[in-house]
Amino acid sequence: SLNEKLSNVDKFHQKQKFLLRIHEKIPLLLGIFIVLLIGDCAIHFSNYLRLTIDLLLLGIILFMVIYNYFIIAKKRNSPENVARLIESQAPEFGSAIINTIQLTEKLNDNNISPLSRELTIKAIDQYNNRYSASEFIEKVNNPALPIQKRKNLKYLIVFLVILIGGFHITKNEFFLFFYPFGNHPPFSLTTLNISSPLSSDTLVVYGNSKPIIVTFLGHKPDELYLSYYDPETPLLVNTL
């Protein structure tokens, strides 16, 4: 029936609107992730803050998808509104769809004469057999969706180029955000330098202490590890 065809068109149209809304948000999510990577490299988030950001982003994404699914994809419009949508996109239909809907409603009138009822049914059947649901769907196919998909592909390529270009940084940052409490050292802008002793031939007497002063540029390290070995046994490394 015509109503079934219009219902199929409505489902298709609303699904496209839903997908378009989701695709429009993808560049924003990619941008947020890049900003988070840069921010973590600059100020080093705590593990709890990274976990909070992960949960917050996940919650926002789920809310966005579920909310738009119910208010867009699940929304159903009246046959008249769908008919006007099709006719606005396909002027060659004129007002035939609306007229057919009105003729269908006319059949509910008990005062209609048998002849008028028979002619009305023939007119409805004639139009209903003339056009298919696929023709209606073709008319309401939203061109903005494939355009947005192509844009997102370009954004994704730029995103991957940035990640690959700084792979020695981003590989650790990915692990830090996906598994915040794992043993993943963050990318550091810190430079360490032994400022004392300055001589490489400084002697260390067994049993005595020897102060070593280390200066830094960038992030202040929470811990320092000093590895040393006897030149005669370089494989036996000790770490303080």
Side-chain angles (χ1 to χ4, degrees):
S1 68
L2 179 62
N3 283 342
E4 289 174 339
K5 292 179 181 179
L6 294 179
S7 177
N8 290 334
V9 173
D10 188 30
K11 291 177 183 178
F12 173 81
H13 178 65
Q14 293 301 119
K15 180 181 178 182
Q16 280 205 317
K17 288 178 64 177
F18 166 71
L19 292 176
L20 179 60
R21 179 69 61 85
I22 298 301
H23 277 279
E24 287 174 343
K25 303 300 181 184
I26 290 178
L28 177 62
L29 293 175
L30 295 178
I32 290 175
F33 196 76
I34 291 294
V35 170
L36 288 175
L37 292 183
I38 295 174
D40 193 36
C41 290
I43 61 178
H44 284 185
F45 302 148
S46 67
N47 291 334
Y48 290 100
L49 180 56
R50 292 190 188 100
L51 180 61
T52 302
I53 292 173
D54 289 343
L55 295 176
L56 184 61
L57 281 177
L58 181 61
I60 291 174
I61 292 172
L62 288 176
F63 174 79
M64 179 186 68
V65 172
I66 295 173
Y67 176 76
N68 284 285
Y69 178 77
F70 281 102
I71 69 167
I72 298 179
K74 297 291 288 184
K75 181 183 177 182
R76 292 296 172 260
N77 298 292
S78 65
E80 291 81 5
N81 288 338
V82 180
R84 292 189 182 94
L85 172 66
I86 297 173
E87 291 174 350
S88 67
Q89 301 296 323
E92 64 270 19
F93 289 162
S95 58
I97 307 176
I98 287 291
N99 292 339
T100 305
I101 292 175
Q102 292 172 348
L103 287 175
T104 304
E105 293 175 349
K106 185 179 179 181
L107 294 177
N108 296 325
D109 186 2
N110 294 326
N111 296 323
I112 187 174
S113 66
L115 179 59
S116 295
R117 181 180 297 275
E118 182 180 353
L119 293 176
T120 300
I121 292 174
K122 286 183 178 180
I124 294 173
D125 290 341
Q126 183 180 5
Y127 184 82
N128 201 21
N129 295 329
R130 184 178 176 185
Y131 297 106
S132 63
S134 60
E135 290 179 277
F136 290 155
I137 288 176
E138 183 181 349
K139 298 301 181 181
V140 301
N141 194 12
N142 193 344
L145 182 57
I147 293 175
Q148 187 62 45
K149 286 182 177 180
R150 289 194 291 269
K151 287 182 179 179
N152 286 350
L153 180 60
K154 295 177 182 179
Y155 293 140
L156 184 59
I157 291 174
V158 173
F159 179 76
L160 292 176
V161 168
I162 293 174
L163 295 187
I164 294 173
F167 183 71
H168 65 291
I169 301 174
T170 57
K171 65 177 181 180
N172 283 349
E173 290 297 327
F174 263 98
F175 287 124
L176 281 170
F177 276 96
F178 287 114
Y179 185 31
F181 292 95
N183 185 20
H184 313 300
F187 172 74
S188 177
L189 298 173
T190 301
T191 300
L192 300 177
N193 183 53
I194 297 179
S195 59
S196 176
L198 295 177
S199 175
S200 60
D201 58 355
T202 300
L203 297 178
V204 181
V205 179
Y206 183 80
N208 292 347
S209 61
K210 188 69 177 180
I212 296 177
I213 299 176
V214 179
T215 57
F216 71 92
L217 292 175
H219 298 119
K220 182 180 179 180
D222 294 328
E223 296 175 316
L224 285 178
Y225 295 89
L226 176 66
S227 297
Y228 62 95
Y229 59 89
D230 187 331
E232 296 181 358
T233 56
L235 296 180
L236 298 178
V237 180
N238 294 287
T239 301
L240 296 176

